[in-house]
Amino acid sequence: MGRSWRRVDGMDLSLLQAARAEFAHSTTYLNTATCGILPRSAVAAVREMAEAAGAGIPAGFGDFDRVNRVRASFARLAGVDVARVAVGSAVATHVGLIAASLPPGAEVLCPEGEFASVINPFVVRGDLKVRFAPLEDIAGNVGPGTALVALSAVQSADGRAADLAAVRAATSAHGARMLVDATQAAGWLPFDASPYEYTVTAGYKWLLGSRGVSFLTVSEEAQDTLTPLHAGWVAAESMWDATYGPMPELAHGARRFDESPAFLAYHAAEPSLALLERIGIEAVHAHDTALAARYRAGLARLGHEPVPGDAPIVSVPGLAGRQPALLAAGIATAARAGALRASFHLYTTEADVDRLLDVLSD
């Protein structure tokens, strides 16, 4: 199928064009909100480590220096000092650490319909007051009894964006902390993690990694609010002096909350994040949102009304039943909450969008 790359507002997207060579997918892939595509360089990094592991040579053991380069790359993308970043394997594990820090009876405010990993660690404790409100009115529901607001920057189900500035103002006014899940934002949306006590981000969607990579950022002031309950030797200030017996000293920054890394996933993450840094999130944002706008305009011509917004996650209520037929036609989308969800990233082209619209018009 023919592929073209859109130029937006005169922006030079030559690097974005060059990125085409990094991807080898054979489908019309419009499903990044479920899972991103690994670049060729990431696949090569995994293969190299796996082959070394199979040969029994040290390169197969995994490289902590590479993990720390991934940490530093994410810190740059998130606009925070590297000392604020902990690495792990899953968002729910990070959220569980935050949930464990709250006293019994503490109120946690979440949006209605929020992604399960953001809310379940609070719900399953059983002794917290978890309260839900419409996403559009989260700021108005923060009160003097609210201990924490936990929400996604961009909703997984339909791409709706939270008014994070308004929520931050409300939490500051009432002395509440704030947890932001940037999983559906970081990688396409310029995202600044610095205003929030905590952020969590899975690395296998818009960050083009695989499952097994996730990031927790903790403000310097909030680091004393968390107990590193799963601390292993990697949470020590000097890891190699803490392999046996009680650790002499916890890491001074957020690294004290590290999990032992899944090395194959982190070896893949390094070239993936490097690719995003080379292109620039502003260019990715312009590309992705232009494709979403093209799709929304096409849907309007077909008489379909998607959930309002401008994110590259576009959900159309009532069309979830079309997803199996689309997949059979080689078009990868998702069915979520009764809607057909398509999501557009740097490997998506105008031709991909048009092909989806053509099939939906049948």
PDB file of all heavy atoms in Angstrom, residues 98-128:
ATOM      1  N   ILE A  98       2.243   3.136  46.270  1.00  0.00           N
ATOM      2  CA  ILE A  98       1.612   4.375  46.722  1.00  0.00           C
ATOM      3  C   ILE A  98       0.396   4.066  47.586  1.00  0.00           C
ATOM      4  O   ILE A  98       0.183   4.696  48.634  1.00  0.00           O
ATOM      5  CB  ILE A  98       1.234   5.242  45.507  1.00  0.00           C
ATOM      6  CG1 ILE A  98       2.503   5.629  44.732  1.00  0.00           C
ATOM      7  CG2 ILE A  98       0.459   6.483  45.930  1.00  0.00           C
ATOM      8  CD1 ILE A  98       2.246   6.150  43.330  1.00  0.00           C
ATOM      9  N   ALA A  99      -0.403   3.069  47.170  1.00  0.00           N
ATOM     10  CA  ALA A  99      -1.579   2.690  47.954  1.00  0.00           C
ATOM     11  C   ALA A  99      -1.174   2.235  49.350  1.00  0.00           C
ATOM     12  O   ALA A  99      -1.857   2.545  50.345  1.00  0.00           O
ATOM     13  CB  ALA A  99      -2.351   1.585  47.243  1.00  0.00           C
ATOM     14  N   ALA A 100      -0.067   1.520  49.450  1.00  0.00           N
ATOM     15  CA  ALA A 100       0.377   1.016  50.750  1.00  0.00           C
ATOM     16  C   ALA A 100       0.814   2.128  51.684  1.00  0.00           C
ATOM     17  O   ALA A 100       0.871   1.933  52.908  1.00  0.00           O
ATOM     18  CB  ALA A 100       1.524   0.025  50.555  1.00  0.00           C
ATOM     19  N   SER A 101       1.107   3.306  51.135  1.00  0.00           N
ATOM     20  CA  SER A 101       1.603   4.407  51.971  1.00  0.00           C
ATOM     21  C   SER A 101       0.502   5.175  52.668  1.00  0.00           C
ATOM     22  O   SER A 101       0.779   5.970  53.575  1.00  0.00           O
ATOM     23  CB  SER A 101       2.408   5.376  51.095  1.00  0.00           C
ATOM     24  OG  SER A 101       1.548   6.156  50.267  1.00  0.00           O
ATOM     25  N   LEU A 102      -0.751   4.970  52.257  1.00  0.00           N
ATOM     26  CA  LEU A 102      -1.852   5.773  52.793  1.00  0.00           C
ATOM     27  C   LEU A 102      -2.357   5.212  54.116  1.00  0.00           C
ATOM     28  O   LEU A 102      -2.450   3.997  54.293  1.00  0.00           O
ATOM     29  CB  LEU A 102      -2.998   5.826  51.782  1.00  0.00           C
ATOM     30  CG  LEU A 102      -2.677   6.516  50.451  1.00  0.00           C
ATOM     31  CD1 LEU A 102      -3.843   6.359  49.488  1.00  0.00           C
ATOM     32  CD2 LEU A 102      -2.361   7.992  50.665  1.00  0.00           C
ATOM     33  N   PRO A 103      -2.758   6.077  55.036  1.00  0.00           N
ATOM     34  CA  PRO A 103      -3.314   5.592  56.307  1.00  0.00           C
ATOM     35  C   PRO A 103      -4.735   5.075  56.119  1.00  0.00           C
ATOM     36  O   PRO A 103      -5.433   5.483  55.174  1.00  0.00           O
ATOM     37  CB  PRO A 103      -3.299   6.837  57.189  1.00  0.00           C
ATOM     38  CG  PRO A 103      -3.431   7.985  56.238  1.00  0.00           C
ATOM     39  CD  PRO A 103      -2.664   7.557  55.006  1.00  0.00           C
ATOM     40  N   PRO A 104      -5.194   4.173  56.970  1.00  0.00           N
ATOM     41  CA  PRO A 104      -6.575   3.697  56.881  1.00  0.00           C
ATOM     42  C   PRO A 104      -7.560   4.864  56.896  1.00  0.00           C
ATOM     43  O   PRO A 104      -7.377   5.836  57.626  1.00  0.00           O
ATOM     44  CB  PRO A 104      -6.734   2.820  58.130  1.00  0.00           C
ATOM     45  CG  PRO A 104      -5.340   2.377  58.445  1.00  0.00           C
ATOM     46  CD  PRO A 104      -4.457   3.536  58.076  1.00  0.00           C
ATOM     47  N   GLY A 105      -8.573   4.759  56.053  1.00  0.00           N
ATOM     48  CA  GLY A 105      -9.602   5.793  55.993  1.00  0.00           C
ATOM     49  C   GLY A 105      -9.293   6.937  55.064  1.00  0.00           C
ATOM     50  O   GLY A 105     -10.152   7.809  54.847  1.00  0.00           O
ATOM     51  N   ALA A 106      -8.092   6.968  54.470  1.00  0.00           N
ATOM     52  CA  ALA A 106      -7.736   8.071  53.576  1.00  0.00           C
ATOM     53  C   ALA A 106      -8.630   8.057  52.338  1.00  0.00           C
ATOM     54  O   ALA A 106      -8.984   7.000  51.814  1.00  0.00           O
ATOM     55  CB  ALA A 106      -6.271   7.971  53.172  1.00  0.00           C
ATOM     56  N   GLU A 107      -8.980   9.249  51.877  1.00  0.00           N
ATOM     57  CA  GLU A 107      -9.827   9.367  50.691  1.00  0.00           C
ATOM     58  C   GLU A 107      -8.973   9.484  49.431  1.00  0.00           C
ATOM     59  O   GLU A 107      -8.067  10.312  49.337  1.00  0.00           O
ATOM     60  CB  GLU A 107     -10.724  10.594  50.789  1.00  0.00           C
ATOM     61  CG  GLU A 107     -11.623  10.767  49.559  1.00  0.00           C
ATOM     62  CD  GLU A 107     -12.471  12.019  49.613  1.00  0.00           C
ATOM     63  OE1 GLU A 107     -13.487  11.985  50.315  1.00  0.00           O
ATOM     64  OE2 GLU A 107     -12.102  13.021  48.952  1.00  0.00           O
ATOM     65  N   VAL A 108      -9.290   8.625  48.451  1.00  0.00           N
ATOM     66  CA  VAL A 108      -8.646   8.652  47.136  1.00  0.00           C
ATOM     67  C   VAL A 108      -9.729   8.969  46.107  1.00  0.00           C
ATOM     68  O   VAL A 108     -10.737   8.269  46.024  1.00  0.00           O
ATOM     69  CB  VAL A 108      -7.972   7.304  46.809  1.00  0.00           C
ATOM     70  CG1 VAL A 108      -7.288   7.365  45.450  1.00  0.00           C
ATOM     71  CG2 VAL A 108      -6.981   6.922  47.899  1.00  0.00           C
ATOM     72  N   LEU A 109      -9.521  10.014  45.342  1.00  0.00           N
ATOM     73  CA  LEU A 109     -10.483  10.443  44.327  1.00  0.00           C
ATOM     74  C   LEU A 109      -9.984  10.019  42.952  1.00  0.00           C
ATOM     75  O   LEU A 109      -8.831  10.278  42.590  1.00  0.00           O
ATOM     76  CB  LEU A 109     -10.647  11.960  44.380  1.00  0.00           C
ATOM     77  CG  LEU A 109     -11.559  12.608  43.326  1.00  0.00           C
ATOM     78  CD1 LEU A 109     -12.995  12.130  43.484  1.00  0.00           C
ATOM     79  CD2 LEU A 109     -11.480  14.135  43.422  1.00  0.00           C
ATOM     80  N   CYS A 110     -10.854   9.358  42.170  1.00  0.00           N
ATOM     81  CA  CYS A 110     -10.501   8.850  40.845  1.00  0.00           C
ATOM     82  C   CYS A 110     -11.631   9.171  39.860  1.00  0.00           C
ATOM     83  O   CYS A 110     -12.789   9.297  40.248  1.00  0.00           O
ATOM     84  CB  CYS A 110     -10.303   7.335  40.868  1.00  0.00           C
ATOM     85  SG  CYS A 110      -9.103   6.725  42.065  1.00  0.00           S
ATOM     86  N   PRO A 111     -11.311   9.248  38.582  1.00  0.00           N
ATOM     87  CA  PRO A 111     -12.367   9.427  37.584  1.00  0.00           C
ATOM     88  C   PRO A 111     -13.214   8.168  37.421  1.00  0.00           C
ATOM     89  O   PRO A 111     -12.722   7.041  37.587  1.00  0.00           O
ATOM     90  CB  PRO A 111     -11.591   9.714  36.287  1.00  0.00           C
ATOM     91  CG  PRO A 111     -10.226  10.105  36.722  1.00  0.00           C
ATOM     92  CD  PRO A 111      -9.971   9.348  37.985  1.00  0.00           C
ATOM     93  N   GLU A 112     -14.461   8.352  37.084  1.00  0.00           N
ATOM     94  CA  GLU A 112     -15.315   7.221  36.729  1.00  0.00           C
ATOM     95  C   GLU A 112     -14.765   6.556  35.470  1.00  0.00           C
ATOM     96  O   GLU A 112     -14.346   7.232  34.534  1.00  0.00           O
ATOM     97  CB  GLU A 112     -16.746   7.705  36.478  1.00  0.00           C
ATOM     98  CG  GLU A 112     -17.415   8.282  37.715  1.00  0.00           C
ATOM     99  CD  GLU A 112     -18.744   8.956  37.405  1.00  0.00           C
ATOM    100  OE1 GLU A 112     -19.025   9.181  36.196  1.00  0.00           O
ATOM    101  OE2 GLU A 112     -19.478   9.293  38.352  1.00  0.00           O
ATOM    102  N   GLY A 113     -14.740   5.233  35.450  1.00  0.00           N
ATOM    103  CA  GLY A 113     -14.271   4.512  34.284  1.00  0.00           C
ATOM    104  C   GLY A 113     -12.770   4.536  34.092  1.00  0.00           C
ATOM    105  O   GLY A 113     -12.278   4.186  33.011  1.00  0.00           O
ATOM    106  N   GLU A 114     -12.022   4.915  35.109  1.00  0.00           N
ATOM    107  CA  GLU A 114     -10.559   4.968  35.024  1.00  0.00           C
ATOM    108  C   GLU A 114      -9.972   3.573  34.812  1.00  0.00           C
ATOM    109  O   GLU A 114     -10.570   2.561  35.185  1.00  0.00           O
ATOM    110  CB  GLU A 114     -10.002   5.601  36.313  1.00  0.00           C
ATOM    111  CG  GLU A 114      -8.498   5.724  36.399  1.00  0.00           C
ATOM    112  CD  GLU A 114      -7.908   6.560  35.282  1.00  0.00           C
ATOM    113  OE1 GLU A 114      -7.959   7.806  35.359  1.00  0.00           O
ATOM    114  OE2 GLU A 114      -7.392   5.934  34.335  1.00  0.00           O
ATOM    115  N   PHE A 115      -8.790   3.507  34.219  1.00  0.00           N
ATOM    116  CA  PHE A 115      -8.141   2.225  33.945  1.00  0.00           C
ATOM    117  C   PHE A 115      -7.886   1.481  35.252  1.00  0.00           C
ATOM    118  O   PHE A 115      -7.502   2.065  36.267  1.00  0.00           O
ATOM    119  CB  PHE A 115      -6.835   2.450  33.190  1.00  0.00           C
ATOM    120  CG  PHE A 115      -6.246   1.192  32.634  1.00  0.00           C
ATOM    121  CD1 PHE A 115      -6.806   0.600  31.516  1.00  0.00           C
ATOM    122  CD2 PHE A 115      -5.143   0.595  33.221  1.00  0.00           C
ATOM    123  CE1 PHE A 115      -6.273  -0.574  30.991  1.00  0.00           C
ATOM    124  CE2 PHE A 115      -4.608  -0.576  32.708  1.00  0.00           C
ATOM    125  CZ  PHE A 115      -5.172  -1.161  31.590  1.00  0.00           C
ATOM    126  N   ALA A 116      -8.092   0.163  35.208  1.00  0.00           N
ATOM    127  CA  ALA A 116      -8.092  -0.647  36.424  1.00  0.00           C
ATOM    128  C   ALA A 116      -6.800  -0.558  37.213  1.00  0.00           C
ATOM    129  O   ALA A 116      -6.819  -0.537  38.461  1.00  0.00           O
ATOM    130  CB  ALA A 116      -8.387  -2.106  36.069  1.00  0.00           C
ATOM    131  N   SER A 117      -5.654  -0.508  36.544  1.00  0.00           N
ATOM    132  CA  SER A 117      -4.375  -0.503  37.262  1.00  0.00           C
ATOM    133  C   SER A 117      -4.194   0.751  38.111  1.00  0.00           C
ATOM    134  O   SER A 117      -3.409   0.740  39.069  1.00  0.00           O
ATOM    135  CB  SER A 117      -3.216  -0.615  36.269  1.00  0.00           C
ATOM    136  OG  SER A 117      -3.234  -1.859  35.607  1.00  0.00           O
ATOM    137  N   VAL A 118      -4.906   1.822  37.770  1.00  0.00           N
ATOM    138  CA  VAL A 118      -4.791   3.068  38.520  1.00  0.00           C
ATOM    139  C   VAL A 118      -5.635   3.044  39.783  1.00  0.00           C
ATOM    140  O   VAL A 118      -5.311   3.725  40.767  1.00  0.00           O
ATOM    141  CB  VAL A 118      -5.188   4.264  37.626  1.00  0.00           C
ATOM    142  CG1 VAL A 118      -5.068   5.589  38.373  1.00  0.00           C
ATOM    143  CG2 VAL A 118      -4.338   4.295  36.365  1.00  0.00           C
ATOM    144  N   ILE A 119      -6.709   2.252  39.798  1.00  0.00           N
ATOM    145  CA  ILE A 119      -7.631   2.295  40.937  1.00  0.00           C
ATOM    146  C   ILE A 119      -7.625   1.044  41.805  1.00  0.00           C
ATOM    147  O   ILE A 119      -7.818   1.130  43.024  1.00  0.00           O
ATOM    148  CB  ILE A 119      -9.074   2.573  40.455  1.00  0.00           C
ATOM    149  CG1 ILE A 119      -9.566   1.484  39.501  1.00  0.00           C
ATOM    150  CG2 ILE A 119      -9.165   3.940  39.805  1.00  0.00           C
ATOM    151  CD1 ILE A 119     -11.019   1.660  39.078  1.00  0.00           C
ATOM    152  N   ASN A 120      -7.388  -0.126  41.209  1.00  0.00           N
ATOM    153  CA  ASN A 120      -7.545  -1.356  41.979  1.00  0.00           C
ATOM    154  C   ASN A 120      -6.616  -1.475  43.180  1.00  0.00           C
ATOM    155  O   ASN A 120      -7.031  -2.008  44.229  1.00  0.00           O
ATOM    156  CB  ASN A 120      -7.391  -2.575  41.072  1.00  0.00           C
ATOM    157  CG  ASN A 120      -8.635  -2.829  40.246  1.00  0.00           C
ATOM    158  OD1 ASN A 120      -9.710  -2.315  40.549  1.00  0.00           O
ATOM    159  ND2 ASN A 120      -8.499  -3.601  39.184  1.00  0.00           N
ATOM    160  N   PRO A 121      -5.362  -1.034  43.117  1.00  0.00           N
ATOM    161  CA  PRO A 121      -4.529  -1.122  44.317  1.00  0.00           C
ATOM    162  C   PRO A 121      -5.114  -0.372  45.516  1.00  0.00           C
ATOM    163  O   PRO A 121      -4.870  -0.757  46.666  1.00  0.00           O
ATOM    164  CB  PRO A 121      -3.196  -0.518  43.872  1.00  0.00           C
ATOM    165  CG  PRO A 121      -3.133  -0.819  42.404  1.00  0.00           C
ATOM    166  CD  PRO A 121      -4.556  -0.628  41.938  1.00  0.00           C
ATOM    167  N   PHE A 122      -5.884   0.687  45.264  1.00  0.00           N
ATOM    168  CA  PHE A 122      -6.549   1.405  46.353  1.00  0.00           C
ATOM    169  C   PHE A 122      -7.812   0.678  46.790  1.00  0.00           C
ATOM    170  O   PHE A 122      -8.098   0.557  47.983  1.00  0.00           O
ATOM    171  CB  PHE A 122      -6.887   2.829  45.909  1.00  0.00           C
ATOM    172  CG  PHE A 122      -5.697   3.621  45.471  1.00  0.00           C
ATOM    173  CD1 PHE A 122      -5.487   3.890  44.125  1.00  0.00           C
ATOM    174  CD2 PHE A 122      -4.773   4.082  46.389  1.00  0.00           C
ATOM    175  CE1 PHE A 122      -4.383   4.615  43.707  1.00  0.00           C
ATOM    176  CE2 PHE A 122      -3.660   4.815  45.987  1.00  0.00           C
ATOM    177  CZ  PHE A 122      -3.462   5.072  44.631  1.00  0.00           C
ATOM    178  N   VAL A 123      -8.565   0.170  45.814  1.00  0.00           N
ATOM    179  CA  VAL A 123      -9.836  -0.495  46.114  1.00  0.00           C
ATOM    180  C   VAL A 123      -9.616  -1.760  46.936  1.00  0.00           C
ATOM    181  O   VAL A 123     -10.325  -2.011  47.922  1.00  0.00           O
ATOM    182  CB  VAL A 123     -10.589  -0.816  44.814  1.00  0.00           C
ATOM    183  CG1 VAL A 123     -11.820  -1.680  45.099  1.00  0.00           C
ATOM    184  CG2 VAL A 123     -10.998   0.473  44.091  1.00  0.00           C
ATOM    185  N   VAL A 124      -8.635  -2.582  46.564  1.00  0.00           N
ATOM    186  CA  VAL A 124      -8.480  -3.883  47.210  1.00  0.00           C
ATOM    187  C   VAL A 124      -7.956  -3.772  48.637  1.00  0.00           C
ATOM    188  O   VAL A 124      -8.055  -4.749  49.399  1.00  0.00           O
ATOM    189  CB  VAL A 124      -7.569  -4.822  46.394  1.00  0.00           C
ATOM    190  CG1 VAL A 124      -8.164  -5.076  45.015  1.00  0.00           C
ATOM    191  CG2 VAL A 124      -6.144  -4.291  46.282  1.00  0.00           C
ATOM    192  N   ARG A 125      -7.423  -2.631  49.023  1.00  0.00           N
ATOM    193  CA  ARG A 125      -7.009  -2.489  50.425  1.00  0.00           C
ATOM    194  C   ARG A 125      -8.195  -2.656  51.359  1.00  0.00           C
ATOM    195  O   ARG A 125      -8.069  -3.191  52.455  1.00  0.00           O
ATOM    196  CB  ARG A 125      -6.348  -1.125  50.645  1.00  0.00           C
ATOM    197  CG  ARG A 125      -4.846  -1.157  50.531  1.00  0.00           C
ATOM    198  CD  ARG A 125      -4.189   0.027  51.176  1.00  0.00           C
ATOM    199  NE  ARG A 125      -4.636   0.333  52.524  1.00  0.00           N
ATOM    200  CZ  ARG A 125      -4.081   1.267  53.291  1.00  0.00           C
ATOM    201  NH1 ARG A 125      -3.065   1.986  52.820  1.00  0.00           N
ATOM    202  NH2 ARG A 125      -4.536   1.510  54.501  1.00  0.00           N
ATOM    203  N   GLY A 126      -9.349  -2.154  50.950  1.00  0.00           N
ATOM    204  CA  GLY A 126     -10.554  -2.337  51.746  1.00  0.00           C
ATOM    205  C   GLY A 126     -10.737  -1.346  52.868  1.00  0.00           C
ATOM    206  O   GLY A 126     -11.848  -1.250  53.420  1.00  0.00           O
ATOM    207  N   ASP A 127      -9.689  -0.616  53.249  1.00  0.00           N
ATOM    208  CA  ASP A 127      -9.814   0.326  54.365  1.00  0.00           C
ATOM    209  C   ASP A 127      -9.582   1.763  53.926  1.00  0.00           C
ATOM    210  O   ASP A 127      -9.371   2.648  54.756  1.00  0.00           O
ATOM    211  CB  ASP A 127      -8.856  -0.039  55.499  1.00  0.00           C
ATOM    212  CG  ASP A 127      -7.392   0.020  55.086  1.00  0.00           C
ATOM    213  OD1 ASP A 127      -7.123   0.179  53.872  1.00  0.00           O
ATOM    214  OD2 ASP A 127      -6.515  -0.095  55.963  1.00  0.00           O
ATOM    215  N   LEU A 128      -9.640   1.999  52.619  1.00  0.00           N
ATOM    216  CA  LEU A 128      -9.534   3.351  52.087  1.00  0.00           C
ATOM    217  C   LEU A 128     -10.893   3.791  51.558  1.00  0.00           C
ATOM    218  O   LEU A 128     -11.713   2.963  51.155  1.00  0.00           O
ATOM    219  CB  LEU A 128      -8.503   3.421  50.958  1.00  0.00           C
ATOM    220  CG  LEU A 128      -7.065   3.043  51.306  1.00  0.00           C
ATOM    221  CD1 LEU A 128      -6.197   3.065  50.049  1.00  0.00           C
ATOM    222  CD2 LEU A 128      -6.494   3.975  52.370  1.00  0.00           C
TER     223      LEU A 128
END
